[in-house]
PDB file of all heavy atoms in Angstrom:
ATOM      1  N   GLY A 627      49.521 -18.631   5.699  1.00  0.00           N
ATOM      2  CA  GLY A 627      50.396 -19.775   5.904  1.00  0.00           C
ATOM      3  C   GLY A 627      51.299 -20.095   4.737  1.00  0.00           C
ATOM      4  O   GLY A 627      51.553 -21.270   4.382  1.00  0.00           O
ATOM      5  N   THR A 628      51.814 -19.072   4.141  1.00  0.00           N
ATOM      6  CA  THR A 628      52.646 -19.165   2.967  1.00  0.00           C
ATOM      7  C   THR A 628      53.942 -18.366   3.103  1.00  0.00           C
ATOM      8  O   THR A 628      54.018 -17.412   3.782  1.00  0.00           O
ATOM      9  CB  THR A 628      51.985 -18.817   1.640  1.00  0.00           C
ATOM     10  OG1 THR A 628      51.548 -17.393   1.665  1.00  0.00           O
ATOM     11  CG2 THR A 628      50.687 -19.607   1.432  1.00  0.00           C
ATOM     12  N   TYR A 629      54.937 -18.692   2.236  1.00  0.00           N
ATOM     13  CA  TYR A 629      56.138 -17.913   2.209  1.00  0.00           C
ATOM     14  C   TYR A 629      56.169 -17.174   0.857  1.00  0.00           C
ATOM     15  O   TYR A 629      56.130 -17.875  -0.233  1.00  0.00           O
ATOM     16  CB  TYR A 629      57.402 -18.858   2.231  1.00  0.00           C
ATOM     17  CG  TYR A 629      58.707 -18.036   2.526  1.00  0.00           C
ATOM     18  CD1 TYR A 629      59.121 -17.988   3.926  1.00  0.00           C
ATOM     19  CD2 TYR A 629      59.397 -17.209   1.500  1.00  0.00           C
ATOM     20  CE1 TYR A 629      60.292 -17.198   4.112  1.00  0.00           C
ATOM     21  CE2 TYR A 629      60.413 -16.593   1.820  1.00  0.00           C
ATOM     22  CZ  TYR A 629      60.956 -16.533   3.116  1.00  0.00           C
ATOM     23  OH  TYR A 629      62.076 -15.860   3.510  1.00  0.00           O
ATOM     24  N   GLU A 630      56.140 -15.900   0.901  1.00  0.00           N
ATOM     25  CA  GLU A 630      56.018 -15.083  -0.272  1.00  0.00           C
ATOM     26  C   GLU A 630      57.305 -14.383  -0.688  1.00  0.00           C
ATOM     27  O   GLU A 630      58.091 -13.851   0.115  1.00  0.00           O
ATOM     28  CB  GLU A 630      54.952 -13.986  -0.179  1.00  0.00           C
ATOM     29  CG  GLU A 630      53.473 -14.592   0.031  1.00  0.00           C
ATOM     30  CD  GLU A 630      52.476 -13.554  -0.193  1.00  0.00           C
ATOM     31  OE1 GLU A 630      52.718 -12.395  -0.181  1.00  0.00           O
ATOM     32  OE2 GLU A 630      51.243 -14.015  -0.067  1.00  0.00           O
ATOM     33  N   ILE A 631      57.655 -14.462  -1.941  1.00  0.00           N
ATOM     34  CA  ILE A 631      58.895 -13.828  -2.505  1.00  0.00           C
ATOM     35  C   ILE A 631      58.520 -12.757  -3.691  1.00  0.00           C
ATOM     36  O   ILE A 631      57.710 -13.148  -4.534  1.00  0.00           O
ATOM     37  CB  ILE A 631      59.725 -14.938  -3.104  1.00  0.00           C
ATOM     38  CG1 ILE A 631      60.053 -15.974  -1.915  1.00  0.00           C
ATOM     39  CG2 ILE A 631      60.958 -14.197  -3.628  1.00  0.00           C
ATOM     40  CD1 ILE A 631      60.917 -17.126  -2.542  1.00  0.00           C
ATOM     41  N   GLY A 632      58.937 -11.519  -3.480  1.00  0.00           N
ATOM     42  CA  GLY A 632      58.666 -10.612  -4.563  1.00  0.00           C
ATOM     43  C   GLY A 632      59.661 -10.503  -5.635  1.00  0.00           C
ATOM     44  O   GLY A 632      60.464 -11.488  -5.675  1.00  0.00           O
ATOM     45  N   ASN A 633      59.398  -9.677  -6.591  1.00  0.00           N
ATOM     46  CA  ASN A 633      60.178  -9.544  -7.787  1.00  0.00           C
ATOM     47  C   ASN A 633      60.543  -8.103  -7.978  1.00  0.00           C
ATOM     48  O   ASN A 633      59.669  -7.293  -8.441  1.00  0.00           O
ATOM     49  CB  ASN A 633      59.394 -10.133  -9.016  1.00  0.00           C
ATOM     50  CG  ASN A 633      60.162 -10.284 -10.234  1.00  0.00           C
ATOM     51  OD1 ASN A 633      61.127  -9.627 -10.409  1.00  0.00           O
ATOM     52  ND2 ASN A 633      59.561 -10.945 -11.234  1.00  0.00           N
ATOM     53  N   ILE A 634      61.813  -7.703  -7.810  1.00  0.00           N
ATOM     54  CA  ILE A 634      62.196  -6.400  -7.894  1.00  0.00           C
ATOM     55  C   ILE A 634      62.231  -5.831  -9.457  1.00  0.00           C
ATOM     56  O   ILE A 634      62.392  -4.667  -9.649  1.00  0.00           O
ATOM     57  CB  ILE A 634      63.511  -6.284  -7.196  1.00  0.00           C
ATOM     58  CG1 ILE A 634      63.842  -4.843  -6.846  1.00  0.00           C
ATOM     59  CG2 ILE A 634      64.658  -6.740  -8.220  1.00  0.00           C
ATOM     60  CD1 ILE A 634      64.993  -4.566  -5.946  1.00  0.00           C
ATOM     61  N   ASP A 635      62.096  -6.772 -10.264  1.00  0.00           N
ATOM     62  CA  ASP A 635      62.170  -6.292 -11.754  1.00  0.00           C
ATOM     63  C   ASP A 635      60.741  -6.039 -12.361  1.00  0.00           C
ATOM     64  O   ASP A 635      60.680  -5.808 -13.533  1.00  0.00           O
ATOM     65  CB  ASP A 635      62.844  -7.423 -12.633  1.00  0.00           C
ATOM     66  CG  ASP A 635      64.313  -7.642 -12.140  1.00  0.00           C
ATOM     67  OD1 ASP A 635      65.002  -6.765 -11.893  1.00  0.00           O
ATOM     68  OD2 ASP A 635      64.745  -8.722 -12.037  1.00  0.00           O
ATOM     69  N   LEU A 636      59.658  -6.042 -11.559  1.00  0.00           N
ATOM     70  CA  LEU A 636      58.303  -5.824 -12.019  1.00  0.00           C
ATOM     71  C   LEU A 636      58.206  -4.487 -12.678  1.00  0.00           C
ATOM     72  O   LEU A 636      58.742  -3.641 -12.230  1.00  0.00           O
ATOM     73  CB  LEU A 636      57.342  -6.079 -10.893  1.00  0.00           C
ATOM     74  CG  LEU A 636      57.218  -7.497 -10.328  1.00  0.00           C
ATOM     75  CD1 LEU A 636      56.216  -7.513  -9.178  1.00  0.00           C
ATOM     76  CD2 LEU A 636      56.904  -8.548 -11.468  1.00  0.00           C
ATOM     77  N   LYS A 637      57.357  -4.502 -13.715  1.00  0.00           N
ATOM     78  CA  LYS A 637      57.032  -3.239 -14.439  1.00  0.00           C
ATOM     79  C   LYS A 637      55.523  -2.880 -14.170  1.00  0.00           C
ATOM     80  O   LYS A 637      54.726  -3.666 -13.491  1.00  0.00           O
ATOM     81  CB  LYS A 637      57.288  -3.279 -15.923  1.00  0.00           C
ATOM     82  CG  LYS A 637      58.654  -3.672 -16.252  1.00  0.00           C
ATOM     83  CD  LYS A 637      58.859  -3.731 -17.766  1.00  0.00           C
ATOM     84  CE  LYS A 637      60.254  -4.182 -18.054  1.00  0.00           C
ATOM     85  NZ  LYS A 637      60.437  -4.378 -19.526  1.00  0.00           N
ATOM     86  N   SER A 638      55.074  -1.699 -14.521  1.00  0.00           N
ATOM     87  CA  SER A 638      53.758  -1.387 -14.308  1.00  0.00           C
ATOM     88  C   SER A 638      52.736  -2.171 -15.204  1.00  0.00           C
ATOM     89  O   SER A 638      53.090  -2.531 -16.370  1.00  0.00           O
ATOM     90  CB  SER A 638      53.516   0.125 -14.732  1.00  0.00           C
ATOM     91  OG  SER A 638      54.142   0.986 -13.790  1.00  0.00           O
ATOM     92  N   GLU A 639      51.605  -2.544 -14.653  1.00  0.00           N
ATOM     93  CA  GLU A 639      50.541  -3.156 -15.474  1.00  0.00           C
ATOM     94  C   GLU A 639      49.813  -2.046 -16.273  1.00  0.00           C
ATOM     95  O   GLU A 639      49.597  -0.923 -15.952  1.00  0.00           O
ATOM     96  CB  GLU A 639      49.505  -3.720 -14.580  1.00  0.00           C
ATOM     97  CG  GLU A 639      49.984  -4.988 -13.779  1.00  0.00           C
ATOM     98  CD  GLU A 639      48.901  -5.664 -12.992  1.00  0.00           C
ATOM     99  OE1 GLU A 639      47.866  -4.970 -12.734  1.00  0.00           O
ATOM    100  OE2 GLU A 639      49.100  -6.760 -12.633  1.00  0.00           O
TER     101      GLU A 639
END
Side-chain angles (χ1 to χ4, degrees):
T628 60
Y629 195 100
E630 295 192 355
I631 302 174
N633 185 344
I634 201 169
D635 297 321
L636 295 177
K637 302 176 182 178
S638 294
E639 291 181 343

